[in-house]
Amino acid sequence: MADATHILKASPVIPVVTIDDPRRAVPVARALADGGVRIIELTLRTDSALDSLKLIAEEVPDILLGAGTVLTPGQADAAVAAGAQFLVSPGVTPALLGHMLTLDLPVLPGVATVGEIMALLEQGLQAMKFFPAGPAGGPDYVAAIGAPVPQVTFCPTGGISLASAPEYLKLANVSCVGGSWLTPRGAIENGNWQFITELAQQAAALAVAP
Ligand code: 3PG
């Protein structure tokens, strides 16, 4: 099942999490879950990201765990081996998409143009990350895309905050948004888990259009 439409319904916000020190991975995941957010997109942007992924997969099983910033087929394989339950990429290439579609798990590829959306529709995908949402056109752009391709559900990500999230979440073609604001690097470094839990509580309480 490659389509990730059901993944987008797990939470109003998918936290985009970057962790340098794997020892912080489990406490971050628990802090988010304590706040009611039980899904993570853990980016593969650090050398130790796969170690963090593995630790969360093993020790926080109630989290729906995705790997983000998947750029190559090899990274996709490594993320799955480490325990990723879904894969997110900022954009797609034929090689990456073709490989991800051979894996038996949901994939959430990134798009920013109608042509890219049409290419994913041709592959049977109807759930997509819209990235980078703010710079690419914001809520007005996402709403306008809904006219020609209303069957597509988006997770806009990039430049979104607690304040701007409702502008996206009220759109009929948006099920959730993504953002790194729930897990600020400083809070992770300082072990400020309570702060992350509070940010998660605020995010979990956001309303999504029916
Ligand atoms: C991503 O990869 O989805 C983005 O880096 C998240 O964007 P943000 O940091 O602006 O929330």
Side-chain angles (χ1 to χ4, degrees):
M1 175 53 171
D3 188 77
T5 301
H6 58 296
I7 299 283
L8 304 195
K9 296 192 164 83
S11 168
V13 182
I14 299 180
V16 178
V17 184
T18 299
I19 296 177
D20 290 300
D21 181 351
R23 289 173 299 183
R24 309 266 165 188
V26 168
V28 170
R30 290 204 175 118
L32 289 167
D34 286 348
V37 172
R38 293 185 182 80
I39 184 167
I40 288 178
E41 176 191 331
L42 186 79
T43 74
L44 302 183
R45 293 180 199 172
T46 61
D47 292 342
S48 57
L50 291 172
D51 294 332
S52 294
L53 202 59
K54 197 160 184 286
L55 285 166
I56 296 172
E58 284 169 1
E59 296 190 33
V60 198
D62 56 331
I63 285 271
L64 189 51
L65 181 60
T69 322
V70 176
L71 303 179
T72 67
Q75 284 183 316
D77 287 341
V80 173
Q85 295 164 275
F86 67 98
L87 301 176
V88 188
S89 64
V92 282
T93 67
L96 176 61
L97 183 64
H99 185 71
M100 290 202 299
L101 292 178
T102 67
L103 305 173
D104 189 24
L105 80 174
V107 297
L108 189 63
V111 292
T113 68
V114 178
E116 291 166 354
I117 293 165
M118 291 165 62
L120 291 186
L121 280 172
E122 286 177 1
Q123 299 297 325
L125 299 183
Q126 297 202 329
M128 305 173 196
K129 171 170 172 155
F130 178 67
F131 178 81
D140 289 349
Y141 189 115
V142 181
I145 286 174
V149 285
Q151 68 271 51
V152 178
T153 304
F154 294 100
C155 176
T157 305
I160 300 177
S161 64
L162 181 69
S164 63
E167 293 301 311
Y168 293 92
L169 292 172
K170 71 182 183 192
L171 301 176
N173 58 349
V174 170
S175 281
C176 66
V177 298
S180 61
W181 86 86
L182 277 70
T183 51
R185 266 199 144 100
I188 295 175
E189 278 162 19
N190 297 328
N192 197 347
W193 314 131
Q194 181 56 34
F195 182 54
I196 291 175
T197 294
E198 286 165 15
L199 292 171
Q201 282 169 337
Q202 293 169 342
L206 287 168
V208 182

